Amino acid sequence: MSTNQTQVPDGYMKNASGHLVPTANIKEQDLLRDQIVTALVPQAIALHKELQAFKRTALSDISDLIQIAADRHGVKMGGKKGNVTLYSYDGRYKVQRNFRELLTFTEELEAAKALIDSCLARWTEGANDNIRVVVSQAFRTNTKGEIKTGKILELMRLEIKDEEWNRAMTALKDALQSTGTAVYVRLYERIDDTDRYRPISLDIASM
């Protein structure tokens, strides 16, 4: 059976360029680093698969519960179902299923930005330039080069009576495009005997 992977002979390791390097010629620090990374990543991949399986099970169980309730009351369910919050009988645990629309911006965003820049030029002429910095922050991209949708939506909520600004907001609305829906499962545990809940984090970065 053929394979695209190069067989690494005993006493050698393959480097990032695909070259075989004698293990005896590799620095001890590089070997230790490789040992830790190659031990951790497979564990993370296994956990990732477990979390994927957990999410599928959770969504399936929640949908089944909703369908059972609908059947009991003679209701026909159609299309995507909405957000729902479930509590354990004793109120100790809470599970939420949330849908969120995924939004992106078309090329019309550039037209809106040009109109906003024109407004800022008028408003800040001879005045404090801080407002320009605040508004420009909304158009900064993240590490993937993507515009932060939430920041743009905050601009659209501002009540500013200016004809050019209103044209810019119309352009922003035209630039908004729905690309689908994301579904989330969030779990919570009640804090002692209070009515507050703490999230059960499944995000390794927040643990």
Side-chain angles (χ1 to χ4, degrees):
M1 184 173 62
S2 63
T3 177
N4 293 326
Q5 292 186 335
T6 303
Q7 185 69 33
V8 180
D10 291 341
Y12 287 82
M13 292 179 67
K14 188 166 65 174
N15 65 16
S17 300
H19 301 142
L20 293 176
V21 180
T23 305
N25 294 345
I26 301 174
K27 293 179 182 179
E28 182 182 4
Q29 189 68 27
D30 292 341
L31 291 172
L32 289 172
R33 185 188 309 112
D34 177 78
Q35 183 180 354
I36 289 174
V37 172
T38 54
L40 289 176
V41 171
Q43 294 180 57
I45 292 172
L47 286 171
H48 177 72
K49 290 179 179 178
E50 286 185 33
L51 285 173
Q52 285 182 319
F54 170 77
K55 183 178 181 180
R56 286 194 296 268
T57 299
L59 291 175
S60 176
D61 288 350
I62 292 169
S63 293
D64 288 347
L65 183 66
I66 293 172
Q67 188 60 56
I68 290 169
D71 292 343
R72 181 171 289 124
H73 293 280
V75 177
K76 184 176 176 60
M77 306 293 288
K80 287 185 177 179
K81 302 169 182 64
N83 300 337
V84 64
T85 300
L86 311 174
Y87 291 89
S88 61
Y89 189 72
D90 61 2
R92 181 181 178 187
Y93 300 119
K94 177 173 69 171
V95 176
Q96 289 183 333
R97 184 192 68 182
N98 301 108
F99 287 97
R100 181 172 66 85
E101 188 177 14
L102 299 176
L103 299 173
T104 188
F105 292 96
T106 68
E107 71 284 350
E108 292 172 288
L109 180 67
E110 292 302 318
K113 188 176 185 304
L115 288 168
I116 290 173
D117 285 342
S118 178
C119 289
L120 294 176
R122 286 190 292 108
W123 297 344
T124 61
E125 187 175 357
N128 191 308
D129 204 37
N130 288 339
I131 186 173
R132 180 186 295 274
V133 174
V134 172
V135 175
S136 296
Q137 288 277 349
F139 288 91
R140 284 194 176 182
T141 58
N142 59 21
T143 55
K144 297 179 181 178
E146 301 166 334
I147 292 289
K148 296 180 180 178
T149 308
K151 294 291 185 181
I152 299 294
L153 295 179
E154 287 177 11
L155 283 185
M156 295 170 65
R157 295 188 189 100
L158 296 176
E159 292 288 343
I160 297 177
K161 294 182 179 180
D162 183 281
E163 189 272 335
E164 190 171 36
W165 177 267
N166 290 334
R167 284 167 52 206
M169 294 304 101
T170 299
L172 283 181
K173 290 177 184 175
D174 291 342
L176 266 178
Q177 185 178 62
S178 176
T179 57
T181 305
V183 59
Y184 301 89
V185 177
R186 296 184 172 94
L187 303 97
Y188 301 84
E189 182 179 21
R190 192 165 65 184
I191 301 174
D192 300 324
D193 293 326
T194 70
D195 58 356
R196 294 181 294 116
Y197 287 79
R198 68 168 65 92
I200 301 171
S201 178
L202 300 178
D203 177 6
I204 191 171
S206 64
M207 292 179 181

